[in-house]
Amino acid sequence: MKRLFATLIASILVWACSDNESKTAGATSETTNGLAFRFVDADSKPLAMARVSLYSVADMVKLDSAVADSEGVAVFDAPDEDCYLEGIAGEDSTLMAFEPFDTTATEVELLPSASIVVDIGDLDSAALEKMNHLQLMRTPYVANFRDGAIVFAHVPSGIFNVVSGDSVVIEGVKVDAGGKVDLKVEPAGTSDDDASADTSATDATAQDSTAQDTTARDTAERDSIDSDTSTAFIFEDFDDGDSLNNFAKSHPNYGWYVSEIGGAVFTKPSSITEFGQILDSSEERGKFLSVKFDLGDSGMVLIGSHIGEDTAYFDMSSLTAIRVTLRGDGDVSFALEHFEEVEANHFNKALWSVKATGEWTEFVLKPGEEVLMPEAFQVEFSAVSKEIALFSIFMSSGTFLEVDKIEFVGVNLK
């Protein structure tokens, strides 16, 4: 299902740091509210809903964030310290940029994101331990383990040092926009001239790696997920009233976003700029999600959340059920989606559909009962279960939906 973001409800974290020179020029527009920048693609077309952030050079703490308007313009308060400006567009970081923040700039170009895949080969346990938290130097971004490799799934173009703790593992990795870089880490003392790095590089100049905001879970951590079917993780009950799902209590997280697809529009509220606008409450249930919408002739609305950060994915193969309490008047689909983009803005997903009623009802969605439709990227849960990145709710008929609680049974994501 192609996602066209209309509104993003979240604080956006992004994935990489570049040594490239700034691709901006001109003079920033000064407004009564701050400094305005226009975000565009390679053809200079404005990128509506681009998500942009400022990161401190000193410690990679995010200082500010904004979402670009329909003309691709985002406004920031002037920072009082040196920082990086990052832009990201597209649901899965399709376009990206990361560059020194230039207050004289007026336009920022976002280019196709790339990836870095590090083959860890036949490393012994000691060397492998150093790979647990690979990250890009002077960034808050770490890699994910996947099929015997370590993957930075989405990074902007630039030159990177890959580090583990204070040690440089791979130095000077050049990444072109839209490209993929395959690297290999060889055991210490290897004579292979093709080796791209040596994990014994402890004599390398110590690098600044203060940003240890780990977003990926290492193999041991993922393998420790409790498979007991009595385990139930409350992914969201909305009672805290914020835009973050409950997984954010232990791991960085974007939060919820909404999208209007194919001419559909939200009618309550008509303009969603804050997550609290789509929450309601009652004495019986506390806070719950509550939206109304007009789907037009063939539209659809979406409410979704990354389970972790943009490139993070999680092994949910022990899932035995999703329990969702809701009411509404139409067809509602719930999906757990794979992290890897099949084609532009398309992801394989396990999807379940229910018919909502006007009464609060708990629906139990089980693996093996998903709706299979390969042409719509709907596959068996087992095909995506080990690398889940997104949880999505689609409304394809009706006029309203309210959701009170979402639980994952059989997995422990705490």
Side-chain angles (χ1 to χ4, degrees), residues 112-118 146 149-153 155 173-183 340:
S113 61
S115 62
I116 300 173
V117 179
V118 184
R146 179 190 173 202
I150 300 172
V151 180
F152 295 92
V155 297
V173 179
K174 186 177 184 297
V175 182
D176 295 323
K180 177 185 176 183
V181 178
D182 292 304
L183 305 170
E340 190 172 32

Side-chain angles (χ1 to χ4, degrees), residues 390-410:
L390 300 158
F391 177 80
S392 305
I393 307 172
F394 301 94
M395 284 73 77
S396 57
S397 68
T399 62
F400 84 96
L401 178 70
E402 296 178 338
V403 180
D404 184 34
K405 183 182 290 185
I406 303 165
E407 293 181 275
F408 297 148
V409 182

Side-chain angles (χ1 to χ4, degrees), residues 221-238:
E221 186 178 4
R222 293 199 345 230
D223 287 347
S224 70
I225 290 176
D226 189 349
S227 61
D228 183 355
T229 57
S230 65
T231 301
F233 175 74
I234 300 178
F235 181 66
E236 186 63 274
D237 57 11
F238 305 103

